[in-house]
Amino acid sequence: MIKSLKNYFHHHLARPFYSLIRPLQPFFNLKKRTFFDKFKVKTKDGVEFWLYNNAFNLETKLFWSGFEKSDWEKKTREIWSELSKSLKVILDIGANTGIFSVLAKAYNSEVEVYAFEPQPNVFRVFQMNNEINGFDIQCHQLALSDESGQLPFYNTGYSTFEANNTTHGSLNKEWRTEHQHSIVVEVERLDCFLTKNQVGKVDLIKIDVETLEFEVLNGYGDLLWLHQPIIILEIQNEDIGSKLLSLFDGKEFEFFWINESKGLVPVDTLGTKTNQENLNYCLCPKNKMDRIRKWI
């Protein structure tokens, strides 16, 4: 009976109810977001999916601002969603709560999505987002790097790695060192994972692993050049950018900074953009430029 009432509210009353209380959010600063265990997102294309109702900061902002009105990685989301429509195999590395993985499946139910998130409390939310949508995302509680084994994974803050801690971590001990804590996580090279699990040719990758993007791609090995995927990744500084440039030297890729309000901006260097809201880049094989040209 209670479940039926909740479903009725979701389908018939939730949208008008929250349209009334959303303008009050700046005054009440509501943290839980909704009074139910999930909320529905609808994109400008009419694509719908659910997000699990937790207290994580990003989902809270997305709910109260509205998914399409949110400035969070707006152009990155658009490019990712559009590319997902026609692809077969996608990797979401550093998936966090899985919003990009869910977007890919919502836009293309046939695409194979392999997603990686090592932090246990965040991974549990990711699993919920997969389950409540009835998707078949391959969720792996695993970190990727250029070595395999078990390594410390670092994070900061109160109740680190527990359900009420909403921050995200890194294998990099030098990243966010204040009040730092660590756990041991499983780590694998990407080429080993793909070979072991018989994953086909990868078409698109998102990487957001808090300064370890080079190590992830270095661990892709020769399969990176065989697959030649389109890569969307965060690059936080010039040192990381320089290492990535050396990795791709002579490999027939074009580089773009993602301006989240305008689109793709061609660049010769990586990691030089210092605006903290615009750290995403796109690395595209020259033979796949037709897929992204509309955003240049």
Side-chain angles (χ1 to χ4, degrees):
M1 180 65 178
I2 294 176
K3 185 176 181 180
S4 297
L5 288 173
K6 289 170 67 175
N7 287 337
Y8 180 84
F9 184 91
H10 279 309
H11 291 291
H12 299 283
L13 300 178
R15 193 177 296 275
F17 174 73
Y18 286 114
S19 68
L20 290 175
I21 65 173
R22 272 192 177 107
L24 302 177
Q25 170 64 1
F27 301 99
F28 293 120
N29 193 26
L30 300 172
K31 299 296 185 182
K32 185 171 173 55
R33 232 192 10 252
T34 77
F35 303 104
F36 298 90
D37 58 357
K38 61 184 178 181
F39 67 95
K40 181 171 283 189
V41 171
K42 186 174 183 178
T43 73
K44 63 182 178 181
D45 305 313
V47 173
E48 295 183 336
F49 56 89
W50 296 96
L51 287 179
Y52 175 60
N53 179 19
N54 56 73
F56 283 23
N57 294 332
L58 176 57
E59 284 86 345
T60 300
K61 291 177 181 177
L62 290 177
F63 174 79
W64 288 111
S65 66
F67 191 74
E68 290 298 343
K69 292 182 180 179
S70 171
D71 290 333
W72 171 71
E73 300 195 353
K74 192 165 189 175
K75 192 59 66 172
T76 298
R77 284 186 280 143
E78 177 187 321
I79 294 169
W80 174 267
S81 299
E82 186 68 26
L83 289 174
S84 297
K85 293 178 182 179
S86 59
L87 302 180
K88 294 182 178 180
V89 180
I90 290 175
L91 307 183
D92 185 2
I93 303 172
N96 202 267
T97 58
I99 293 177
F100 276 88
S101 292
V102 169
L103 267 174
K105 289 298 294 188
Y107 274 86
N108 180 0
S109 62
E110 301 299 318
V111 69
E112 294 180 31
V113 179
Y114 297 84
F116 308 85
E117 174 53 53
Q119 188 163 313
N121 56 312
V122 178
F123 182 76
R124 284 191 289 271
V125 177
F126 179 23
Q127 287 180 305
M128 287 296 300
N129 281 330
N130 188 32
E131 291 170 8
I132 62 179
N133 285 288
F135 291 157
D136 59 353
I137 299 166
Q138 299 293 313
C139 306
H140 297 274
Q141 191 174 336
L142 180 68
L144 296 177
S145 187
D146 51 6
E147 57 183 311
S148 296
Q150 293 185 325
L151 291 173
F153 185 86
Y154 302 91
N155 203 348
T156 64
Y158 176 76
S159 300
T160 311
F161 304 115
E162 296 181 14
N164 58 335
N165 185 292
T166 67
T167 61
H168 41 279
S170 172
L171 291 173
N172 181 6
K173 183 177 174 59
E174 304 306 316
W175 185 78
R176 300 178 65 186
T177 57
E178 187 177 359
H179 305 300
Q180 191 179 75
H181 303 276
S182 69
I183 58 174
V184 174
V185 300
E186 295 294 327
V187 183
E188 194 161 1
R189 285 180 58 96
L190 181 53
D191 54 5
C192 293
F193 175 89
L194 296 175
T195 301
K196 181 175 65 178
N197 291 277
Q198 299 181 318
V199 179
K201 187 176 181 181
V202 177
D203 301 303
L204 175 65
I205 305 177
K206 180 188 75 68
I207 310 175
D208 185 355
V209 291
E210 309 301 352
T211 73
L212 269 291
E213 287 74 19
F214 168 78
E215 284 77 5
V216 170
L217 288 173
N218 197 38
Y220 202 165
D222 291 337
L223 289 180
L224 171 57
W225 318 122
L226 179 64
H227 293 174
Q228 295 197 15
I230 297 173
I231 303 167
I232 294 173
L233 76 170
E234 181 183 75
I235 305 175
Q236 294 195 12
N237 58 56
E238 291 185 51
D239 289 340
I240 298 170
S242 295
K243 290 194 293 184
L244 288 167
L245 282 175
S246 66
L247 182 66
F248 283 86
D249 185 35
K251 296 299 185 180
E252 299 295 311
F253 272 71
E254 297 285 349
F255 308 130
F256 302 89
W257 172 59
I258 303 178
N259 182 312
E260 297 294 352
S261 61
K262 297 179 180 179
L264 297 175
V265 179
V267 293
D268 296 320
T269 58
L270 299 173
T272 57
K273 301 296 183 180
T274 58
N275 184 333
Q276 292 301 305
E277 298 300 320
N278 291 271
L279 296 176
N280 287 343
Y281 289 77
C282 177
L283 315 183
C284 184
K286 290 183 177 180
N287 61 6
K288 295 182 179 178
M289 283 294 297
D290 58 309
R291 291 183 178 269
I292 65 167
R293 202 170 302 280
K294 64 183 288 186
W295 292 290
I296 301 173

